[in-house]
Amino acid sequence: MKIWFNKINESRRSIFEVVDKDEDGNSIEVSVTIGRDPENMLVLESPLVSRKHAIVRRLENCFELENVGLNICMVGEADVGVGETVQFDGGMPVRIWPYTLSFELESIPEISRHEFDDHIRNVMANLEQRIHKQLLERLDLVGMESSRTPDQKSILLLENNIQDCCREMEVFSEGNEELLNNVVGLVLRDLLTNQIILEGSVDSKRSATLTSNEFDVPATLIPEREQEMQNLLRMLKDQLKLDVPTDTSEKIRIVEEQAQSKFPSLQRFLHAELRRYIILRALKKDLKDTVFGFGPLQDLLRVPSITEIMVVSSDQIYVETDGVIERSGRRFISDQVTESVIERIVAQVGRRIDKSQPLVDARLPDGSRVNAVIPPLAIRGPCLTIRRFPEQRLTVEDLIAKQSLTSSAAAFLRAAVGNRRNILVSGGTGSGKTTMLNAMSSFIPYKERIVTVEDTAELKMHQDHVVTLETRPANVEGRGEYSARDLVKNALRMRPDRLIVGECRGGEALDMLQAMNTGHDGSMTTVHANSSAEVIERLELLVLMAVELPIKAIHRQIASALDLIVQLNRTNDGRRMVTQISEVERMDEDTGDLIVTDIFNSRNGIALQPTGYLPTFVDQLVDKNLLDLRFLYSEGGKEEPDEPKRLGNQETVVAPSHDVIPPPSQRQVD
């Protein structure tokens, strides 16, 4: 039996062999202990590995893994908890973080596509790092970086020096032919991906700075080589049958998964000069992105399926796609280059980052939210997090299609917004609060005046009459700061019909509640909370950050200001969904507690369902023809059942004591 293992971030693998046959050649059962202590048969040196982490036994036709460590293992895509045992076939990847293992009876396992990509990208990154070091000695790169719009002369000078560096380093020697072919395959795949994105963005409103990169085409272009390269891309596109799918994300997925296997059939068209041209073209583009653009983030920012980009350190960049976080394989040349790109991003919105102010919030030209932290706060080096939003903001119909919301709940929210009810959207980080707020804003009539207040402008209202305000940090002298609370106070003087605060995270919560109580009905905001009941406790804390008030007085303010709480949660598989819609019913004068009652809720993964409780303002919704009560009985409210049935799962929550108080009988649905 052979065990192949390697660290997740490395493509080089080691082998450990175990005798699993007797003298007659018959298979025998063997057990392999795995852990970081030397007494284990297979030692994985990492503090993240338990002293004795797992026991793997070879059975007759498969393997069996028993987790005896302190952390989970993964077999394939399944988690194996502490004390659990699972059987698996040979060749299935086993992950004991930060190692990947493969158990084979005889044959050597093939390297995975992700491992292969990481290896080739590491080769390119190391080469770019060496070239960049030489360029620093030859050219004034700092002066070039300061130029927002580099002239053609500077670009040409940079490209010629890159060619000279490659020639001096003998990059294209005959001994590197196989590796260079693999690099060309990866470059062609990236080029085809960018081509698909550009084709899909022709009619979109996405910022041109993130789609049409001026550094994609080299200044030292050779028409003959360029035509040959385009022919290769066309043949690869035909082999992958990319004309069949219409969705851009689906085309990109096909390229990512299948292009590597199709490339060998194209190698007969790849002569030495074309190979040299394609690799030089990629090196020039990457280094120009580093000097003038966003470095390795430039291409990631174009991919529509990526929702989050996380730079942990200069050589570790992760992306989130469809709720799954994985390593991108790209990396910055150095910490200095990472900091330079961060400074370039924040300077576009008039903000700064340095050792005196080592963290900052900003946004990209396409509206993506940016958070950056540099040393001395970030110990391992500059850290960057980019939250990306869909090119086309999700509508309520999209949320229903993604099963994040039911049509009956959407009908109720539409009526509540039309009736100018004050709504608070709550949820954890990344649960979709901003997306939900954007979707609900589409219910606001176009004739109304909207004022939004945010730390970083993210909301995209569908109406025309919208005033967008954004907070501003203090300048170098410590002056000029305008907090969310300052802007909320000012917004009240701007005659808004509705006030929308992107997120309440401080004393502005008190001003927001006062605004809701003083004629600005129909206002909306978001807070971080894990449930509707916890929202009240969270608001208590935020109000106390502004002024010392008795809890009973705060509850009275909340009860008179808030009408609805929309709670969102993120599931283990990455889905974001509405799990509660609750009414802040009233305050119990005897106990001082707020009574929060669920109108819709979701339990144990079941879709959002009506509880049978009707809100106190339902008469107004019906009288104004904003809502048909049949929404409680059928999805979308299209049909009314012959005999209405009692709806279960009715829940009333009292915050903060959580006593159960049944709603008034006249509001039950019988």
Side-chain angles (χ1 to χ4, degrees):
M1 179 175 67
K2 296 179 180 179
I3 305 175
W4 298 84
F5 64 97
N6 62 283
K7 282 192 174 182
I8 289 175
N9 299 331
E10 298 176 354
S11 56
R12 182 179 61 83
R13 294 181 294 172
S14 303
I15 184 173
F16 176 76
E17 295 194 52
V18 181
V19 177
D20 58 354
K21 294 184 179 180
D22 58 21
E23 295 179 355
D24 298 328
N26 298 318
S27 298
I28 57 175
E29 286 192 12
V30 295
S31 298
V32 179
T33 57
I34 303 172
R36 73 168 187 266
D37 275 358
E39 59 262 24
N40 291 288
M41 295 177 66
L42 176 57
V43 179
L44 302 180
E45 297 178 352
S46 171
L48 300 176
V49 178
S50 301
R51 294 182 181 278
K52 187 176 180 181
H53 204 115
I55 301 175
V56 176
R57 304 177 182 89
R58 179 188 168 173
L59 306 181
E60 185 175 354
N61 296 316
C62 62
F63 297 93
E64 181 182 79
L65 181 142
E66 179 184 358
N67 186 351
V68 295
L70 301 176
N71 300 316
I72 65 170
C73 306
M74 285 188 68
V75 175
E77 298 300 325
D79 291 341
V80 183
V82 177
E84 294 182 354
T85 301
V86 65
Q87 293 185 0
F88 62 97
D89 296 326
M92 184 172 291
V94 175
R95 294 176 178 84
I96 300 177
W97 188 262
Y99 286 88
T100 296
L101 301 91
S102 183
F103 295 80
E104 295 293 328
L105 301 178
E106 296 177 355
S107 60
I108 298 176
E110 293 290 333
I111 188 170
S112 70
R113 177 175 60 85
H114 289 294
E115 290 175 325
F116 176 80
D117 289 352
D118 285 348
H119 173 64
I120 300 302
R121 291 197 190 280
N122 279 334
V123 170
M124 284 290 284
N126 290 331
L127 179 57
E128 289 169 9
Q129 190 172 23
R130 291 165 58 195
I131 295 174
H132 187 264
K133 186 176 180 180
Q134 289 195 23
L135 292 176
L136 287 171
E137 299 173 357
R138 294 169 177 239
L139 304 172
D140 179 18
L141 291 186
V142 177
M144 289 184 176
E145 288 178 11
S146 61
S147 174
R148 296 290 181 85
T149 54
D151 55 36
Q152 193 70 9
K153 183 178 178 182
S154 299
I155 294 176
L156 189 61
L157 178 64
L158 182 63
E159 291 190 9
N160 286 331
N161 275 274
I162 292 172
Q163 289 186 193
D164 293 341
C165 291
C166 289
R167 184 173 59 253
E168 294 171 6
M169 293 162 53
E170 299 182 349
V171 172
F172 303 104
S173 60
E174 292 184 2
N176 295 333
E177 183 174 339
E178 183 178 353
L179 178 61
L180 295 176
N181 282 340
N182 290 330
V183 171
V184 170
L186 190 63
V187 171
L188 288 177
R189 195 182 74 189
D190 289 345
L191 286 171
L192 185 55
T193 299
N194 286 340
Q195 198 175 86
I196 292 170
I197 294 169
L198 288 173
E199 290 173 357
S201 302
V202 172
D203 299 323
S204 73
K205 297 180 181 179
R206 184 181 292 276
S207 171
T209 57
L210 300 184
T211 52
S212 180
N213 186 354
E214 60 182 305
F215 307 128
D216 283 350
V217 180
T220 52
L221 182 142
I222 302 176
E224 294 82 3
R225 301 286 89 83
E226 194 75 16
Q227 184 60 48
E228 287 179 301
M229 186 191 73
Q230 293 299 330
N231 289 338
L232 283 177
L233 289 173
R234 196 174 298 110
M235 286 188 285
L236 182 59
K237 190 174 182 179
D238 291 340
Q239 289 192 19
L240 294 173
K241 300 179 180 179
L242 294 180
D243 293 333
V244 177
T246 56
D247 182 62
T248 299
S249 296
E250 176 63 18
K251 291 182 180 180
I252 293 173
R253 187 191 62 78
I254 293 173
V255 172
E256 291 288 332
E257 293 181 355
Q258 302 179 23
Q260 180 182 329
S261 62
K262 302 293 183 183
F263 179 68
S265 64
L266 304 179
Q267 288 190 8
R268 59 194 176 96
F269 302 104
L270 190 66
H271 54 83
E273 281 300 314
L274 179 57
R275 180 171 58 235
R276 179 178 180 275
Y277 177 78
I278 291 175
I279 295 175
L280 273 175
R281 190 183 192 278
L283 289 171
K284 291 172 184 176
K285 174 197 173 301
D286 290 347
L287 287 165
K288 285 185 292 185
D289 283 342
T290 297
V291 176
F292 304 115
F294 297 144
L297 307 181
Q298 195 84 32
D299 290 334
L300 297 178
L301 287 167
R302 303 183 189 191
V303 182
S305 58
I306 292 178
T307 55
E308 197 107 24
I309 302 173
M310 295 155 280
V311 180
V312 177
S313 60
S314 296
D315 60 346
Q316 293 186 44
I317 302 176
Y318 291 85
V319 296
E320 181 188 55
T321 306
D322 297 328
V324 178
I325 297 176
E326 58 185 13
R327 197 179 177 103
S328 70
R330 291 169 169 81
R331 73 184 197 189
F332 284 94
I333 291 174
S334 65
D335 286 351
Q336 290 74 20
V337 171
T338 310
E339 286 194 32
S340 177
V341 169
I342 291 174
E343 291 172 1
R344 205 171 296 152
I345 290 173
V346 302
Q348 293 181 347
V349 290
R351 302 197 175 187
R352 65 184 181 89
I353 186 169
D354 51 42
K355 289 186 177 180
S356 63
Q357 187 175 320
L359 57 86
V360 69
D361 288 318
R363 67 178 184 277
L364 290 173
D366 69 339
S368 300
R369 184 174 67 199
V370 178
N371 175 268
V373 187
I374 64 173
L377 296 184
I379 304 299
R380 296 178 57 188
C383 179
L384 182 68
T385 308
I386 300 177
R387 169 73 60 79
R388 301 194 61 234
F389 299 103
E391 180 179 350
Q392 299 295 331
R393 295 301 172 101
L394 296 179
T395 63
V396 172
E397 289 75 15
D398 295 327
L399 297 179
I400 295 172
K402 293 177 179 291
Q403 298 183 344
S404 297
L405 184 69
T406 61
S407 56
S408 58
F412 173 74
L413 289 177
R414 184 188 300 272
V417 173
N419 193 233
R420 301 183 65 86
R421 293 293 154 182
N422 295 321
I423 301 175
L424 185 147
V425 180
S426 63
T429 301
S431 59
K433 298 186 296 296
T434 303
T435 300
M436 189 67 196
L437 201 59
N438 266 319
M440 288 197 303
S441 71
S442 64
F443 301 148
I444 300 175
Y446 274 75
K447 63 181 180 180
E448 295 188 10
R449 175 177 170 84
I450 304 170
V451 178
T452 68
V453 175
E454 300 173 85
D455 283 330
T456 303
E458 301 171 14
L459 295 172
K460 299 293 183 183
M461 300 289 107
H462 302 266
Q463 295 77 4
D464 294 328
H465 196 166
V466 179
V467 179
T468 302
L469 304 180
E470 185 180 67
T471 61
R472 176 182 172 182
N475 59 20
V476 180
E477 299 173 348
R479 300 177 180 177
E481 178 182 7
Y482 288 91
S483 66
R485 191 171 188 189
D486 296 327
L487 297 183
V488 170
K489 290 178 180 177
N490 185 76
L492 299 180
R493 305 185 183 102
M494 299 174 67
R495 198 237 170 253
D497 288 314
R498 301 193 192 228
L499 177 62
I500 299 180
V501 178
E503 181 179 349
C504 284
R505 60 179 71 182
E508 65 272 9
L510 174 62
D511 301 296
M512 187 70 190
L513 292 175
Q514 290 177 335
M516 292 176 173
N517 278 322
T518 55
H520 298 90
D521 296 331
S523 297
M524 293 184 278
T525 187
T526 72
V527 298
H528 278 79
N530 294 324
S531 69
S532 297
E534 290 185 20
V535 169
I536 306 303
E537 298 168 5
R538 174 76 170 156
L539 285 176
E540 290 173 12
L541 178 61
L542 296 180
V543 171
L544 288 172
M545 292 172 66
V547 62
E548 289 289 338
L549 285 175
I551 295 298
K552 195 168 184 177
I554 296 175
H555 282 185
R556 188 173 284 110
Q557 283 283 322
I558 296 173
S560 60
L562 278 183
D563 294 307
L564 293 175
I565 298 174
V566 179
Q567 174 69 34
L568 292 102
N569 288 95
R570 183 171 177 170
T571 60
N572 293 331
D573 59 1
R575 288 178 55 223
R576 300 166 175 86
M577 57 189 301
V578 178
T579 55
Q580 286 175 289
I581 300 177
S582 311
E583 181 188 16
V584 182
E585 189 179 348
R586 58 189 172 86
M587 188 186 81
D588 189 316
E589 292 295 339
D590 295 330
T591 64
D593 292 336
L594 282 174
I595 299 176
V596 181
T597 309
D598 282 357
I599 304 170
F600 293 84
N601 62 22
S602 173
R603 293 181 176 180
N604 302 322
I606 301 175
L608 200 64
Q609 296 291 332
T611 63
Y613 168 78
L614 293 178
T616 56
F617 53 86
V618 70
D619 292 343
Q620 298 181 35
L621 304 184
V622 174
D623 292 344
K624 295 180 180 179
N625 293 323
L626 295 172
L627 185 67
D628 190 328
L629 288 182
R630 286 178 295 180
F631 83 96
L632 286 170
Y633 303 108
S634 62
E635 197 60 27
K638 295 180 181 178
E639 298 178 1
E640 183 177 7
D642 296 334
E643 295 183 3
K645 299 179 181 179
R646 181 180 297 275
L647 300 175
N649 297 330
Q650 181 169 299
E651 179 181 8
T652 301
V653 181
V654 180
S657 60
H658 310 297
D659 295 329
V660 176
I661 299 177
S665 58
Q666 64 268 25
R667 290 201 299 273
Q668 285 188 350
V669 178
D670 292 322

